[in-house]
Amino acid sequence: MNEPTQKGVRGFDLDIHLAFREPLEREVALELLRELEGYTAELYAPHHIPGAAVPSARVTGPLRSPQDVQRALEAWLPHATYIEAGLRGFLRSASGSTDWVPWRRNLVLTRGQVDQVRFEEGVKYILE
């Protein structure tokens, strides 16, 4: 007969994008991102060039400790031209695929204002 509808999950996850000052070797980029253990790190490098340097990266996952994330942002700033960070809305289907919701608002901060990153839902903090 009729199968029950499987519902997805809505929520907010930490979403950080880093643009490195200079493309980094894969191992160096991964070591730098280990500043935040337990999050998913995705390196953005050309897929068609094996061993290509990494110009940017993304870190995602449930926010556990805002203080730990702020410490990681501080550690990453010397290596980045800019960092975008915030709690981004998502819709995760029952099959596990994730659609990200557009940011509600952008807030641009100076590099010295990491302590102003408050992790409000839907707000993207841009450190440049």
Side-chain angles (χ1 to χ4, degrees):
M1 297 213 144
N2 291 339
E3 291 190 30
T5 302
Q6 291 188 342
K7 295 187 179 182
V9 176
R10 292 174 178 231
F12 288 87
D13 265 351
L14 181 65
D15 189 7
I16 301 172
H17 289 259
L18 296 95
F20 299 121
R21 286 190 184 278
E22 296 179 13
L24 301 175
E25 296 295 321
R26 178 180 170 77
E27 295 77 25
V28 173
L30 287 172
E31 183 64 31
L32 188 63
L33 297 177
R34 282 195 188 97
E35 194 71 36
L36 271 183
E37 293 282 343
Y39 287 88
T40 301
E42 185 177 355
L43 303 178
Y44 293 143
H47 296 287
H48 63 283
I49 305 173
V54 178
S56 60
R58 182 178 190 195
V59 176
T60 58
L63 178 64
R64 292 183 290 277
S65 168
Q67 296 80 15
D68 287 348
V69 175
Q70 286 177 330
R71 278 192 289 277
L73 295 174
E74 288 276 356
W76 293 338
L77 277 171
H79 306 279
T81 54
Y82 69 89
I83 299 175
E84 300 174 347
L87 290 180
R88 189 168 187 188
F90 67 83
L91 303 169
R92 191 164 293 131
S93 72
S95 66
S97 64
T98 301
D99 288 322
W100 293 95
V101 177
W103 295 100
R104 293 183 198 155
R105 184 172 76 125
N106 295 335
L107 184 60
V108 180
L109 302 171
T110 66
R111 301 170 79 75
Q113 293 180 297
V114 173
D115 61 332
Q116 299 299 310
V117 177
R118 303 270 187 238
F119 302 105
E120 296 172 56
E121 293 178 349
V123 177
K124 175 171 57 174
Y125 296 85
I126 303 164
L127 296 163
E128 40 179 45

